[in-house]
Amino acid sequence: MPEWKTRLAVSYIESGNTVTISPIDSYTPTFSLNAEALHSIEQTHIGVIYQPPAMSFSMTVKAIGNVAAQLTSLSLEGKSFDIVLQETDDGNDWSFKTIVMKNCIITSASPSPATISGAPAATFSGFSLAASSEPKVGAKVEVP
């Protein structure tokens, strides 16, 4: 059975120090890398028109402890941060060394209602200005 040895975290710089916020319960990135076929009256598919990429995300954390408070503070301050998925020691089962959404901004936060059982959650959504991935085999890829 594979043992996943990765960690999802939010990372930002404050007063020259790297601050890491973790754990993140769920994370859903969305990459829209639009391309449109170029046609003419004489011929179809003669080229391609690329539109700027759009990268957004949604992440959910438990609304207990410091994580939700730290993310709420980042969103209220309008502070940019990176979302980092990185391999930990001996993480041989993971396909990537790192995946990073850079210069992220939170645009909305939505807490779940408190219930009798289970911890409440908070969902944060936003967009990223750049992204990169570094697979174990192959070249590192960066989007703007």
Side-chain angles (χ1 to χ4, degrees), residues 23-101:
I24 308 297
D25 292 336
S26 71
Y27 168 65
T28 307
T30 304
F31 297 94
S32 178
L33 308 171
N34 298 322
E36 180 181 329
L38 179 63
H39 308 291
S40 75
I41 294 174
E42 296 95 20
Q43 189 177 359
T44 184
H45 293 85
I46 61 172
V48 64
I49 299 171
Y50 291 101
Q51 298 173 356
M55 297 162 286
S56 60
F57 66 88
S58 177
M59 64 179 152
T60 303
V61 300
K62 287 188 178 46
I64 54 176
N66 287 347
V67 176
Q70 289 174 303
L71 290 173
T72 300
S73 293
L74 282 177
S75 64
L76 292 174
E77 292 173 13
K79 191 171 211 164
S80 67
F81 57 90
D82 296 342
I83 299 174
V84 182
L85 181 62
Q86 56 190 179
E87 180 179 64
T88 60
D89 294 336
D90 299 325
N92 295 326
D93 296 324
W94 180 237
S95 301
F96 292 92
K97 290 181 182 177
T98 60
I99 297 176
V100 180
M101 289 186 86

